[in-house]
């Protein structure tokens, strides 16, 4: 039987008009959630939401630029008015800083020559945007009986992996923008998890793997649906699930 919005789990995915975020939104809709497609371009958000609805899901486009305070506050206000609460927040919106060049191949992110304005722009989206959205949505998440926050990170966030001169990142270019922004997101994940543990809001970070999207000019080897699997798993954790963790689809990752 079709349930009303307020009986369904309500999930917001930022940057859900394409790529991994869109695939996560599609999967959550298949699982029966009401999915709010966050998109900074209203038209592209509406296109994605319409596609989810055409497949039988319940989806609504929400105008949301994570770097724009007014946009973030307006999105929270609209979600409160239309849905009354939020159960799942996936902080997926992110930029590489180097357009469609994978940050690990980007010569413009090499620390000694990086443009500080580019670093600022990357942190504005990947780090400060997450704080802005999470804090705006927290009053709505607190109304959920089982809220989950998923921060979309990267293997490149791992200080353990990137700090190993013989490790998997040894052959890749050093990055002063994207990789540190995701390491900062790791730190934020732990701090939010620590604050929200008493409220039983589970906050985790996930590395989707190397996924075929615009962000790496479609050089990734995983499909967006495969990349989204870890986001969906952390968005659907049971009450005994972890909090303050960092995971790939293969299991826990080192910080
Ligand atoms: P993508 O296809 O480029 O999608 C990124 C999404 O974020 C787009 O919807 C984009 O919107 C949105 N976005 C960017 N800035 C925004 C802002 N200020 N406000 C709202 N939305 C904004 O990239 P993706 O590969 O799916 O990336 C999704 C997440 O996965 C990112 O956090 C990325 O760092 C992470 N990740 C990806 C990979 C990979 O291999 N692809 C690996 C590790 C981690 P527009 O369409 O308007 O630009």
């Amino acid at each position: 039987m079709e349930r009303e919005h307020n009986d369904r789990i309500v999930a917001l995915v930022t940057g859900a008009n394409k790529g991994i975020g869109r695939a996560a939104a599609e999967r959550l809709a298949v699982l029966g959630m009401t999915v709010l497609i966050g998109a900074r371009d209203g038209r592209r958000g509406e296109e994605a939401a319409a596609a989810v609805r055409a497949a039988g899901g319940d989806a609504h486009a929400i105008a949301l630029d994570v770097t724009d305070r007014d946009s973030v506050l307006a999105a929270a206000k609209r979600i409160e008015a239309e849905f009354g609460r939020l159960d799942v927040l996936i902080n997926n919106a992110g930029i590489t800083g180097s357009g469609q060049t994978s940050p690990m191949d980007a010569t413009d992110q090499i620390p000694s020559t990086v443009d500080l304005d580019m670093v600022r722009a990357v942190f504005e989206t990947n780090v400060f945007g997450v704080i802005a959205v999470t804090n705006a949505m927290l009053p709505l998440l607190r109304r959920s009986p089982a809220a989950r926050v998923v921060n979309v990170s990267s293997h490149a966030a791992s200080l353990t992996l990137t700090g190993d001169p013989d490790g998997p990142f040894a052959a890749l270019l050093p990055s002063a923008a994207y990789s540190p922004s995701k390491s900062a997101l790791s730190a934020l994940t732990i701090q939010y998890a620590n604050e929200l543990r008493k409220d039983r809001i589970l906050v985790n970070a996930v590395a989707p793997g190397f996924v075929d999207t615009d962000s790496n000019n479609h050089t990734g080897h995983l499909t967006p649906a495969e990349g989204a699997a870890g986001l969906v798993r952390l968005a659907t954790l049971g009450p005994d699930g972890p909090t303050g963790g960092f995971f790939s689809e293969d299991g826990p990752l080192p910080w």
Side-chain angles (χ1 to χ4, degrees):
M1 195 175 72
E2 184 73 7
R3 291 173 296 174
E4 296 302 322
H5 288 325
N6 58 4
D7 292 330
R8 288 175 177 258
I9 292 172
V10 182
L12 169 65
V13 184
T14 67
N17 53 285
K18 66 179 184 178
I20 298 165
R22 179 167 175 163
E26 288 169 352
R27 182 69 195 146
L28 295 179
V30 167
L31 295 177
M33 296 188 191
T34 289
V35 179
L36 311 183
I37 308 262
R40 57 182 165 177
D41 179 306
R43 184 184 53 78
R44 281 185 283 138
E46 189 43 56
E47 277 171 14
V52 172
R53 286 194 296 270
D58 185 25
H60 308 262
I62 300 274
L64 177 52
D65 181 335
V66 304
T67 64
D68 179 335
R69 182 186 154 82
D70 291 345
S71 166
V72 171
L73 295 179
K77 217 171 163 181
R78 189 179 148 202
I79 294 168
E80 176 172 31
E82 291 184 24
F83 303 95
R85 67 162 202 282
L86 192 62
D87 301 290
V88 172
L89 169 62
I90 301 186
N91 286 309
N92 166 79
I95 59 170
T96 66
S98 299
Q100 296 196 348
T101 305
S102 174
M104 304 301 127
D105 296 324
T107 51
D108 60 352
Q109 304 216 359
I110 291 173
S112 58
T113 51
V114 75
D115 176 357
L116 198 45
D117 286 341
M118 186 251 262
V119 181
R120 286 197 181 97
V122 171
F123 271 69
E124 200 62 55
T125 302
N126 297 3
V127 182
F128 308 140
V130 171
I131 299 175
V133 173
T134 303
N135 288 357
M137 300 303 161
L138 257 179
L140 301 174
L141 289 164
R142 288 185 194 282
R143 294 183 190 166
S144 167
R148 309 286 177 254
V149 178
V150 182
N151 292 332
V152 182
S153 186
S154 163
H155 287 81
S158 171
L159 299 178
T160 305
L161 296 177
T162 56
D164 179 356
D166 302 315
F169 287 84
L172 303 175
L173 290 180
S175 154
Y178 182 79
S179 183
S181 77
K182 294 296 189 181
S183 303
L185 182 59
S186 294
L188 279 178
T189 301
I190 291 178
Q191 300 302 330
Y192 272 104
N194 286 347
E195 181 184 353
L196 300 175
R197 190 172 283 111
K198 64 180 184 324
D199 304 316
R200 287 178 298 174
I201 298 176
L202 306 182
V203 185
N204 291 287
V206 62
F210 193 36
V211 183
D212 174 354
T213 69
D214 284 350
S215 73
N216 50 38
N217 203 17
H218 299 276
T219 53
H221 55 265
L222 298 174
T223 65
E226 289 168 338
L231 285 63
V232 172
R233 195 174 60 76
L234 292 174
T236 54
L237 287 173
D240 297 328
T243 191
F246 181 26
F247 302 93
S248 73
E249 262 307 85
D250 299 329
L253 285 170
W255 293 111

